Amino acid sequence: MGANSSSISELPENEYLKKLAGAEPISENDPFWNQLLSFSFTTPTNSADLKLLEEATISVCKSLVEKNPRTGNLGSLVKVFLSRTKELKISAECQNHLFIWQAHNALFIICCLLKVFISRMSEEELQLHFTYEDKAPGSYGTECEDLIEELLCCLIQLIVEIPLLDITYSISLEAVTTLIVFLSCQLFHKEILRESIIHKYLMHGRCVPYTSRLVKTLLYNFIRQERSPPPGTHVFQQQTDGGGLLYGIASGVATGLWTVFTLGGVGSKASPQLERCSPLANQSLLLLLVLANLTDAPDTPNPYRQAIMSFKNTQDSTAFSSSNPHAFQINFNSLYTALCEQQKSDQATLLLYTLLHQNSNVRTYVLARTDIENLVLPILEILYHVEERNSHHVYMALIILLILTEDDGFNRSIHEVILKNITWYAERILTEISLGSLLILVVIRTIQYNMTRTRDKYLHTNCLAALANMSAQFRSLHQYAAQRIISLFSLLSKKHNKVLEQATQSLRGSIGSTDSPLPDYAQDLNVIEEVIRMMLEIINSCLTNSLHHNPNLVYALLYKRDLFEQFRTHPSFQDIMQNIDLVISFFSSRLEQAGAELSVERVLEIIKQGAVALPKDRLRNLKSNEMKIDAKRLHRWSPTLHPRAQGGTICKDGR
């Protein structure tokens, strides 16, 4: 590269890069390094330019792969970088722009080379490339054998110890991205890496003491959302606020990597708008998620996951457990605010899921918040715009709701939060509605969308599980929410009748014919009937536990009472229909006594009076834990129905 390199087209013929990848060994003390590292680079701003960069440098990288076993120039470059980072903290404090600039450029080149090396060779071969030196064939110095570990440790130290200033922003970003590139070995393996060399270095030895500080720093990077400094404050040329050339090169690697580690290889990139807001925050979050999902070693649990599972609020004065050396404290209020604001990206949603599922301190704090709507509303928006989101983002949002709805306090409190003018809900103008009713509306809409479009049983049954968890605490349901509950049951009823009719016709047509196999209508019927039973249990749970709080549901039930006739004698639903049938009969009788031509207001008044008059002991009490068991049964069942979700983090918890 050198001072004269400023465009992608010049790279293949650049004399400094040719020398680096050539047959001549370069000592780490050679003045050449000052020349190589004194470059500025016009930052590619789109994927086409990034592809051009890779194509322009591939010949240099191939040459280095071929010549490095004899020259050891990769190791020399790494040593040059390591030597310059020793004074990096002092350089930041003294505003030594030149020193930081060259250290950044060295790391920039290392990371670009690593990306190509890792994509073309095994970890064992990569490790060998870090041991080669300019010595006689067959004699290698033992002091270089842990150069990878030294580099990894140096990168972690750089992230946790160098203050984040305008002049250090880019090198901090490149350090985070280089760690992600190191971990990208997983991208080139179909199976989960269980004995990775890079993982071993990160989870054992010199890197381990920095575990809690690294996790804490990455979390604070996410919380603070520091924007990339304006071009004038950078120590090297940069024409966009996208965060540096290497950020652009490796952001695809990073996003794809956390997808492979956590979601089975299917996901979507963060939006360009989110990346431009704070590239350091975005990359830090991706690195944190990759580290959290590294496979446990045979003799050692993942220390980064342990740190994520155990950190506490800064206001928590209780002592840390001696069994977990990686615990630390962080400001939960700031973390909560960042989580609420960043849910448009699926990696932020995955972080929220991870914390709620694995860190009991975070879960307790979130459930105790009095402004829980700030977190729930972005999650509901994800589900509402299901057609615009990738499937895993929707699944994570849904399972977050499942985790939250397991708490009875949450289920009660959401009906006390009144919202005004929900502009993104387009089906109906909602000038005033409780958070609980809105949650029901969005979940039901997701079910109905799924029934007509994607037909994904995994999504289907877990939506019903969330409603089941909430049902005993339904309070003051909005009339539209009550209508949608009964409308969903109507849709399921029609689907049941259609499949039953198809099965009957198919059976009649098959008499005397053995040429073609019959469709498995029995399995379809079983699935639909299980879903219908779940809906009946949800309605029954609400009637049993909070009848007097939900006159709108009783009104909707009476308005569509004919829907339930066919299930009254059905052997699969007789038990669950007893309460519903009793409520319909009781209130129908009171309405008949009141006369004809009743207004809506008068009907609701009669229902409210009847709810007080109806003896509670007449309703068969379904134990609340029955509903919880059903919800968990559906959740356990779902991964087997949705192959794309198998092996993903969101399916491993067994909830």
Side-chain angles (χ1 to χ4, degrees), residues 66-350:
E66 179 184 347
K67 305 289 178 50
N68 187 63
R70 292 188 294 276
T71 66
N73 285 343
L74 175 63
S76 296
L77 174 60
V78 171
K79 291 176 184 177
V80 168
F81 169 72
L82 293 174
S83 67
R84 299 192 180 216
T85 57
K86 292 177 181 177
E87 304 298 329
L88 204 56
K89 188 174 183 180
I90 297 175
S91 298
E93 294 171 353
C94 299
Q95 298 286 304
N96 188 334
H97 289 234
L98 179 62
F99 196 91
I100 297 173
W101 175 38
Q102 291 198 339
H104 167 272
N105 287 347
L107 182 56
F108 169 83
I109 297 173
I110 290 170
C111 197
C112 288
L113 294 172
L114 273 176
K115 185 171 183 287
V116 176
F117 272 57
I118 288 173
S119 68
R120 291 176 172 269
M121 62 184 67
S122 66
E123 283 188 302
E124 291 75 16
E125 291 175 292
L126 177 66
Q127 188 178 35
L128 279 176
H129 274 277
F130 276 81
T131 66
Y132 294 134
E133 290 187 300
D134 178 28
K135 288 192 174 186
S139 85
Y140 303 112
T142 57
E143 68 276 7
C144 295
E145 291 181 356
D146 291 327
L147 195 57
I148 290 182
E149 182 178 23
E150 189 173 351
L151 177 57
L152 289 169
C153 194
C154 176
L155 293 173
I156 293 174
Q157 290 173 336
L158 194 158
I159 293 168
V160 302
E161 294 181 353
I162 302 302
L164 188 59
L165 309 171
D166 282 354
I167 61 171
T168 61
Y169 188 97
S170 291
I171 194 169
S172 297
L173 175 60
E174 308 300 4
V176 171
T177 307
T178 305
L179 283 175
I180 294 174
V181 172
F182 259 120
L183 289 163
S184 67
C185 294
Q186 177 66 72
L187 288 173
F188 308 100
H189 292 79
K190 294 181 180 180
E191 303 297 329
I192 295 176
L193 287 178
R194 301 191 182 279
E195 296 183 354
S196 165
I197 295 171
I198 305 301
H199 296 183
K200 182 188 72 173
Y201 284 134
L202 288 171
M203 294 199 288
H204 297 275
R206 296 169 55 189
C207 294
V208 174
Y210 294 96
T211 297
S212 59
R213 292 177 64 189
L214 177 60
V215 172
K216 184 175 182 178
T217 301
L218 295 175
L219 276 172
Y220 269 125
N221 285 347
F222 167 72
I223 290 170
R224 290 166 180 155
Q225 295 289 316
E226 293 283 355
R227 293 176 178 269
S228 180
T233 60
H234 281 284
V235 296
F236 59 97
Q237 182 180 352
Q238 180 171 314
Q239 297 183 346
T240 74
D241 61 354
L245 171 63
L246 187 55
Y247 170 72
I249 295 173
S251 62
V253 172
T255 306
L257 184 58
W258 76 259
T259 297
V260 168
F261 267 78
T262 61
L263 301 175
V266 180
S268 68
K269 288 187 65 176
S271 69
Q273 292 79 7
L274 288 171
E275 291 179 349
R276 282 197 294 268
C277 286
S278 179
L280 179 60
N282 186 62
Q283 295 293 83
S284 295
L285 176 55
L286 293 173
L287 176 58
L288 181 65
L289 292 170
V290 173
L291 290 172
N293 287 281
L294 295 181
T295 307
D296 291 337
D299 56 341
T300 310
N302 180 344
Y304 304 97
R305 187 183 300 123
Q306 284 189 313
I308 288 173
M309 291 173 62
S310 60
F311 70 81
K312 301 191 298 185
N313 194 353
T314 50
Q315 297 180 350
D316 189 343
S317 58
T318 58
F320 287 112
S321 171
S322 58
S323 61
N324 187 359
H326 306 300
F328 62 91
Q329 290 180 301
I330 202 167
N331 188 310
F332 276 17
N333 183 60
S334 299
L335 176 61
Y336 180 80
T337 301
L339 288 169
C340 293
E341 293 174 349
Q342 301 301 320
Q343 288 306 307
K344 289 184 179 179
S345 73
D346 39 2
Q347 53 262 43
T349 305
L350 178 57

Side-chain angles (χ1 to χ4, degrees), residues 46-57:
N46 54 59
S47 58
D49 285 346
L50 294 175
K51 185 176 180 181
L52 287 175
L53 175 67
E54 292 188 359
E55 292 174 351
T57 55

Side-chain angles (χ1 to χ4, degrees), residues 341-370:
E341 293 174 349
Q342 301 301 320
Q343 288 306 307
K344 289 184 179 179
S345 73
D346 39 2
Q347 53 262 43
T349 305
L350 178 57
L351 176 64
L352 174 59
Y353 159 75
T354 301
L355 295 178
L356 287 174
H357 177 233
Q358 298 187 3
N359 190 312
S360 59
N361 299 319
V362 173
R363 183 168 61 253
T364 300
Y365 176 86
V366 167
L367 290 169
R369 292 284 301 206
T370 56

Side-chain angles (χ1 to χ4, degrees), residues 5 28 34 40 60 106 148 178 206 271 308 320 467 471 606:
S5 281
E28 58 192 274
N34 286 329
S40 59
V60 174
I148 290 182
T178 305
R206 296 169 55 189
S271 69
I308 288 173
F320 287 112
L467 292 176
S471 59
I606 294 172

Side-chain angles (χ1 to χ4, degrees), residues 394-415:
V394 174
Y395 300 151
M396 285 186 292
L398 178 57
I399 293 181
I400 287 169
L401 288 184
L402 273 172
I403 293 173
L404 294 175
T405 58
E406 287 177 356
D407 183 77
D408 289 339
F410 170 85
N411 294 332
R412 286 190 296 269
S413 66
I414 56 176
H415 292 287

Side-chain angles (χ1 to χ4, degrees), residues 263-264 266 390-396 398-399 450 454-462 523 634-648 650-652:
L263 301 175
V266 180
N390 72 73
S391 58
H392 288 300
H393 199 183
V394 174
Y395 300 151
M396 285 186 292
L398 178 57
I399 293 181
N450 183 54
T454 58
R455 299 182 181 181
D456 182 340
K457 295 174 184 177
Y458 173 82
L459 189 67
H460 210 66
T461 53
N462 282 280
Q523 182 179 359
L634 287 170
H635 193 27
R636 285 198 303 270
W637 173 44
S638 55
T640 65
L641 294 174
H642 186 63
R644 287 176 296 166
Q646 289 183 359
I650 59 175
C651 301
K652 285 181 179 177

